[in-house]
Amino acid sequence: EGEAIRDAMLMVSGRLDLRMFGQSVPLHESQFVEARGLRSERGPLDGEGRRSIYVAARRNFLPMMMTAFDTPTPFTTVGRRNVSNVPGQMLFLMNDPFVHQQAGVWADRLLKELPESSIEQRIRNLYLAAFSREPSATEITRCSATLREVNGVSDLASASKDSWTEVCHALF
């Protein structure tokens, strides 16, 4: 479900606000929403870190992530939620600004919390946060290869924040 995916991204990035109740957060504007005439209210891209249940859903302006991941429309009753696994969902995760933003926030958090740690320890930390398990040797090798490729150098110790952001994005 889109809500669970969004909330999980906020959780691993360290941005999830667990505060309960309060006002809903206005929808973030996008080209799609703007073209259809959303009123003047605008919310931040990450919805102030609030859980998905607190992001406003207007009947004509549904959050794009929720639409991609089968959230029922708010103007019909649904006895059972649809579940799909379609290429558009993967493309959404590859291209959505929110996903990119949270990958960057997660990379910042990683580098701040583990400034002197080894590359392998950082990768282990990412896997524990995302999947609650240790990475396999193959997964460590693949993440290291991604760091090398994005960074453009063979010295992993100098991996940039952008390199770590790409690894975080791939894990999402």
Side-chain angles (χ1 to χ4, degrees), residues 6 25 28 35 43 48-49 54 57 77 87 109 113 135 140 142 149 167 171:
R6 182 183 173 279
V25 179
H28 178 73
E48 297 175 2
Y54 295 109
T77 57
R109 177 181 173 199
E113 290 178 359
I140 292 173
R142 286 181 180 162
E149 185 178 324
V167 171
L171 293 179

Side-chain angles (χ1 to χ4, degrees), residues 82-104:
N82 290 332
V83 177
S84 66
N85 183 5
V86 295
Q89 293 167 336
M90 184 215 38
L91 292 170
F92 180 87
L93 292 174
M94 286 176 54
N95 297 309
D96 185 64
F98 168 76
V99 178
H100 284 276
Q101 177 195 54
Q102 291 311 301

Side-chain angles (χ1 to χ4, degrees), residues 109-118 121-122 125-126:
R109 177 181 173 199
L110 176 75
L111 296 173
K112 186 182 292 182
E113 290 178 359
L114 303 172
E116 302 299 322
S117 295
S118 68
Q121 183 56 43
R122 287 179 179 172
N125 182 280
L126 292 175

Side-chain angles (χ1 to χ4, degrees), residues 6-7 10 13-19 21-28 42-52 54-56 98 101-102:
R6 182 183 173 279
D7 291 357
L10 288 168
S13 73
R15 264 303 277 143
L16 185 64
D17 178 356
L18 294 173
R19 180 173 35 108
F21 311 113
Q23 295 288 326
S24 62
V25 179
L27 187 63
H28 178 73
R42 299 283 187 261
L45 182 59
D46 71 351
E48 297 175 2
R50 299 294 308 270
R51 290 184 51 222
S52 298
Y54 295 109
V55 176
F98 168 76
Q101 177 195 54
Q102 291 311 301

Side-chain angles (χ1 to χ4, degrees), residues 36-63:
R36 296 187 54 209
L38 183 63
R39 294 177 294 203
S40 61
E41 58 193 42
R42 299 283 187 261
L45 182 59
D46 71 351
E48 297 175 2
R50 299 294 308 270
R51 290 184 51 222
S52 298
I53 195 168
Y54 295 109
V55 176
R58 303 282 187 258
R59 187 166 42 187
N60 293 328
F61 307 105
L62 302 174

Side-chain angles (χ1 to χ4, degrees), residues 1-8 52 65-66 68-71 81:
E1 294 146 350
E3 297 91 345
I5 294 168
R6 182 183 173 279
D7 291 357
S52 298
M65 182 171 207
M66 301 309 127
F69 289 96
D70 305 318
T71 298
R81 186 178 232 180

